[in-house]
Amino acid sequence: MTEDTVHKQTNKHIRGSGLLLSGRFLSIALNLLTQVLIVRYLSKADYGVWAYTLALVSTATTLGCLGMERTVGRFIPIYEEEGKRASVAGTLVLAFATIAALGFATVALVIGFRSLLTDTVIDNPAVIGILVVLIALAPVNAFSDLLEGIFSAFGEPKIIFLRKHVVGPCLKLAAIILTIATSSSLHTLAVATVFAGVLG
């Protein structure tokens, strides 16, 4: 590898890192604005239900990923460097299949056993009502994390910047703005948030 090539790759990495850093600040600002609007719009009881449900969804997302986003980020560059295209494809298929299976199982369990959850684990029926909607975000967010790992492995900072730091936060912001504009309920906000997550 020539010195000129090394210099170009170094500049590419620096530009990519700078883009992702600026995107991080942008997404923090957009997410903060979204949270402020949610807090001001929802009542204390509704916001408690919202925050509690999102915490459950976040836990389900972590379990649903099963570390696959780190797996693809580590092994795909190695296989790509060694020219093992079949291993790259196999890693991707395994990661997507694992997250799809766990995501489907999580959604099915929550929806199928919502009555049991109400009687044993969660004593607030309002939480179950919102959880049944927002649980769809668990596999969606898991796939989002996986895609970020894939784009990182293939060195695509622009796609990560647009997807994670611009489009995603803007769609979440649009969900709460739509809810406020239509004076809708917490359930509508949950549906809009899921739709924004899928679209993102």
Side-chain angles (χ1 to χ4, degrees):
M1 186 177 293
T2 65
E3 184 177 343
D4 186 53
T5 303
V6 172
H7 182 68
K8 288 181 179 179
Q9 288 188 351
T10 301
N11 287 338
K12 181 181 177 182
H13 286 305
I14 292 174
R15 287 194 301 271
S17 298
L19 182 64
L20 293 179
L21 181 62
S22 61
R24 179 63 177 164
F25 286 122
L26 176 62
S27 66
I28 288 174
L30 291 173
N31 288 328
L32 178 62
L33 177 58
T34 302
Q35 288 300 317
V36 169
L37 291 175
I38 290 175
V39 169
R40 291 183 64 85
Y41 180 71
L42 298 179
S43 65
K44 289 183 179 180
D46 282 348
Y47 184 75
V49 170
W50 180 258
Y52 183 50
T53 306
L54 284 183
L56 295 175
V57 171
S58 178
T59 302
T61 299
T62 302
L63 295 175
C65 280
L66 206 65
M68 286 297 165
E69 76 282 5
R70 292 189 296 273
T71 299
V72 297
R74 173 175 174 80
F75 287 103
I76 285 181
I78 295 175
Y79 294 145
E80 187 73 17
E81 181 72 20
E82 295 174 351
K84 297 179 179 178
R85 295 300 178 90
S87 297
V88 172
T91 302
L92 292 175
V93 169
L94 174 65
F96 275 103
T98 300
I99 289 179
L102 290 175
F104 176 79
T106 301
V107 173
L109 285 173
V110 170
I111 294 176
F113 292 95
R114 58 184 180 274
S115 299
L116 180 62
L117 289 174
T118 304
D119 296 335
T120 56
V121 181
I122 303 172
D123 58 358
N124 189 342
V127 172
I128 293 297
I130 300 301
L131 181 60
V132 167
V133 177
L134 286 183
I135 194 61
L137 280 179
V140 169
N141 290 340
F143 276 118
S144 178
D145 292 342
L146 177 62
L147 287 174
E148 183 182 345
I150 293 172
F151 292 141
S152 298
F154 287 110
E156 298 291 345
K158 290 182 180 179
I159 297 178
I160 297 174
F161 170 79
L162 289 174
R163 238 195 92 264
K164 183 177 181 181
H165 299 309
V166 178
V167 176
C170 284
L171 288 173
K172 292 178 183 177
L173 181 60
I176 181 59
I177 289 175
L178 178 64
T179 303
I180 294 173
T182 56
S183 300
S184 299
S185 64
L186 179 60
H187 186 271
T188 302
L189 174 60
V191 173
T193 301
V194 170
F195 181 75
V198 173
L199 189 60

